[in-house]
Amino acid sequence: TPVRASVAPRSTQAEPTTQAEPVGRDAMLDLSGEARRLITEDDVRGAAQRGYRIIRYAPDAILTPLARDIAAEKRIELASAVH
Protein backbone atom coordinates (compact mmCIF):
# COMPACT_ATOMS: atom_id res chain seq x y z
CA THR A 1 0.00 0.00 0.00
CA PRO A 2 1.29 3.50 -0.83
CA VAL A 3 2.16 5.84 2.03
CA ARG A 4 0.54 9.27 1.87
CA ALA A 5 2.25 12.25 3.40
CA SER A 6 0.14 14.66 5.33
CA VAL A 7 0.79 18.24 4.27
CA ALA A 8 -0.84 21.19 5.98
CA PRO A 9 -2.51 23.59 3.56
CA ARG A 10 -0.71 26.86 3.01
CA SER A 11 -2.35 30.02 4.21
CA THR A 12 -3.22 32.48 1.47
CA GLN A 13 -3.22 35.39 3.91
CA ALA A 14 -0.17 37.58 4.22
CA GLU A 15 1.59 37.49 7.54
CA PRO A 16 0.87 40.64 9.53
CA THR A 17 3.85 42.92 10.00
CA THR A 18 4.79 44.05 13.45
CA GLN A 19 5.91 47.45 12.26
CA ALA A 20 4.64 49.71 9.51
CA GLU A 21 7.04 50.22 6.67
CA PRO A 22 8.78 53.59 6.66
CA VAL A 23 7.39 56.33 4.49
CA GLY A 24 9.26 59.30 3.10
CA ARG A 25 12.62 60.79 3.77
CA ASP A 26 11.93 61.32 7.48
CA ALA A 27 11.21 57.66 8.28
CA MET A 28 12.68 57.00 11.72
CA LEU A 29 13.64 53.75 13.41
CA ASP A 30 13.23 54.42 17.14
CA LEU A 31 15.47 52.18 19.24
CA SER A 32 15.48 54.56 22.21
CA GLY A 33 12.88 52.60 24.16
CA GLU A 34 14.68 49.29 23.87
CA ALA A 35 16.90 47.76 26.53
CA ARG A 36 19.55 47.34 23.83
CA ARG A 37 22.70 49.28 24.47
CA LEU A 38 24.73 48.33 21.41
CA ILE A 39 23.92 49.55 17.89
CA THR A 40 25.88 47.62 15.26
CA GLU A 41 26.59 47.71 11.54
CA ASP A 42 23.87 45.07 11.04
CA ASP A 43 21.30 47.30 12.73
CA VAL A 44 22.17 50.21 10.45
CA ARG A 45 22.25 48.09 7.29
CA GLY A 46 18.88 46.55 8.20
CA ALA A 47 17.37 49.97 8.78
CA ALA A 48 18.73 51.18 5.43
CA GLN A 49 17.28 48.17 3.61
CA ARG A 50 13.85 48.91 5.10
CA GLY A 51 14.06 52.55 4.04
CA TYR A 52 14.73 54.30 7.34
CA ARG A 53 16.59 57.60 7.12
CA ILE A 54 16.92 58.29 10.87
CA ILE A 55 17.85 55.99 13.75
CA ARG A 56 17.08 57.29 17.23
CA TYR A 57 18.86 55.52 20.07
CA ALA A 58 18.97 55.75 23.87
CA PRO A 59 21.49 58.20 25.36
CA ASP A 60 23.37 55.33 27.03
CA ALA A 61 23.56 53.21 23.87
CA ILE A 62 26.93 52.41 22.32
CA LEU A 63 27.31 52.77 18.57
CA THR A 64 30.14 50.81 17.03
CA PRO A 65 32.54 52.76 14.81
CA LEU A 66 31.48 50.63 11.83
CA ALA A 67 27.80 51.40 12.55
CA ARG A 68 28.64 55.11 12.40
CA ASP A 69 30.58 54.63 9.14
CA ILE A 70 27.75 52.70 7.49
CA ALA A 71 25.23 55.31 8.65
CA ALA A 72 27.32 58.04 7.01
CA GLU A 73 27.71 55.94 3.84
CA LYS A 74 23.96 55.26 3.65
CA ARG A 75 23.09 58.85 4.65
CA ILE A 76 21.24 57.76 7.76
CA GLU A 77 21.06 60.29 10.56
CA LEU A 78 21.93 58.97 14.03
CA ALA A 79 20.02 60.82 16.75
CA SER A 80 20.39 60.38 20.48
CA ALA A 81 17.06 60.54 22.31
CA VAL A 82 16.73 62.96 25.20
CA HIS A 83 15.36 61.29 28.33
Side-chain angles (χ1 to χ4, degrees):
T1 53
V3 177
R4 297 180 83 190
S6 174
V7 178
R10 288 187 181 177
S11 172
T12 57
Q13 289 182 305
E15 299 257 339
T17 58
T18 57
Q19 185 174 12
E21 289 299 313
V23 177
R25 63 179 193 173
D26 295 330
M28 179 176 65
L29 175 59
D30 190 353
L31 300 177
S32 65
E34 292 189 16
R36 133 190 346 229
R37 291 190 162 185
L38 181 67
I39 309 298
T40 67
E41 167 200 10
D42 290 337
D43 297 316
V44 177
R45 286 189 190 277
Q49 283 183 326
R50 294 189 317 267
Y52 290 104
R53 305 310 311 152
I54 302 167
I55 298 175
R56 182 166 60 181
Y57 57 91
D60 62 344
I62 298 168
L63 281 86
T64 66
L66 190 52
R68 290 182 189 276
D69 290 348
I70 298 301
E73 176 185 302
K74 302 287 186 182
R75 297 184 182 191
I76 294 178
E77 178 184 343
L78 298 173
S80 177
V82 179
H83 285 259

